[in-house]
Amino acid sequence: MPSARLPRVAYYAHHHGTGHLRHAVNIARLDAVELLVTGTAPPGGIPSLPGSAQFAALPPDVGPDGPFGPGPGSFLHYAPAAPLVRERFARLHQLWQEFTPDVVVVDVSVETALFARLCGYPVIHRRMHGERTDTPHRLAYESVNGLIAYFPESIEEPSHLAEHGGKSSYLGMLAPASAPAPGSIPVRPRTVSVQTSLGGSGVQLSDLLRAARRTPDWQWEVMGRTAGAPTDLPDNVQLLGVVSDPGPRLAASDVIVTSGGHNAVAAAAAARRPVLVIPEPRPFREQELFARALTPAGAASALTFADVPDWQHTLEQLRNGDPEQLAKTLLVPVEDFRARFLAAVEQAVSGGQYGASTRTAASSAGPGERSSRRSLPAGSQAT
C-alpha cells in the first residue's frame, strides 16, 4: 500500500435493517481512508455519505416475491442459482476493479467475504455476537485475513476468543455523531424511553402496554416500530414512531428500555442513563446473546417484556443504578476507534497476524501505527 495516499477500503454493507450502513457511515466519519460502500440501495434511495466516501448500489439478490431458494448444501447461507445474483456479483467485481481497494471489509456476508477472497483481495469480516459456529461462519472466519468487532474485547464470547482471538480486532463502540453532550439535557423523572430496532417488525405492542399499565406513575415514550394495532392506549403511553434523532429523548429519560441492536445500544449508552436491554428476534440469536453479554458491562437485560416479573420494582431499581457504567465500558473516543481500524487494515494488507497490538491500538497511534494499550481505559471495565 503506497504510503503517499490513504488506505483504500471497499466496504460491503448488508441490506437487512439500517445498522450495517450506519457502520459504513461511521467509517466515513473517520476521514482516514478512501471509502467505497456497496450494497443494495436502501428504500430511501442512494445515501449521501460523509466526506468523499461514495455509495454504489448493487442489483438486488432477491426476486419480486422475496428470497430465492438458498441453493444446495449447508456450507453457505444464501447462494441461489439466479440471474439477479450473477448480476449482483458481476457488478460488485466491476466496482472493485475500478476502485482497486487495498482491502475489502464485509459487514456482513459469508458469500461476499469468500467471493472477495477468491478475487484476490485481503478481506476483513465484521464480527458480531450470536450463534456463529455453523459451517458457513466457520468457513468465513477461517478464510478472511481478519475480523473486526464494533465493541470492546471485554464483552466478547470466551469461545470466540479461544478460537479466533488471534485474528480479531476490537474497536470499541462510537457514540452517535448527534449524541447530546453528557449532562446537557435535564432528566425528566419517572419517564421511560423505549427504542426499538429498525431491522424487524418491532416489539409487541400488547406486551409493552401491559408493562405501562402496571406502572401508571411512569410516562412511557416509545420510539420505533411496534407490532400490533395501537388501540386503547393508556394515558401514560406515547407512540412516537420512528424518530430521526432519539438522542435528546433518551438523555432526558429516567430509564431507557432498548432493543439489542448495536446502534440502539450505542445510542442508549451515549445517553448515560440506566438501561434495560430487551432483544428482538434476529438470525443466529444475535440480539439475545449481545444483550446477555451487556449485563456485566452495565446494562440490565430480559429476554422479553413478559419476562420482567415486576415492572414497578425493576424501574425503581434501574433509576437508582449507575447511569455512566455502560458508556464507560462500551464507548471509545473517535481517535481510538480510528487508530484501531487503521491498524486492522494495515494488518490485513500486510498479511500479518492479528494479536494484542491490533486489538488494543491506542488513540496516540497514528495511521497504521500500533501500541500495547488495552482496549478499555484503565478502570472502565465493569466489575
Side-chain angles (χ1 to χ4, degrees), residues 108-150:
V108 287
S109 165
V110 168
E111 294 77 21
T112 302
L114 296 175
F115 180 67
R117 170 72 189 274
L118 291 170
C119 288
Y121 297 104
V123 184
I124 298 173
H125 196 276
R126 181 185 168 198
R127 162 67 184 158
M128 300 174 68
H129 284 84
E131 293 179 335
R132 302 184 191 274
T133 58
D134 58 311
T135 298
H137 275 110
R138 292 181 66 87
L139 179 61
Y141 285 9
E142 292 171 8
S143 299
V144 298
N145 298 73
L147 299 164
I148 55 171
Y150 299 136

Side-chain angles (χ1 to χ4, degrees), residues 292-314:
R292 184 185 302 174
L294 291 170
T295 301
S301 68
L303 189 59
T304 68
F305 275 79
D307 286 312
V308 179
D310 186 339
W311 272 101
Q312 189 74 41
H313 174 75
T314 297

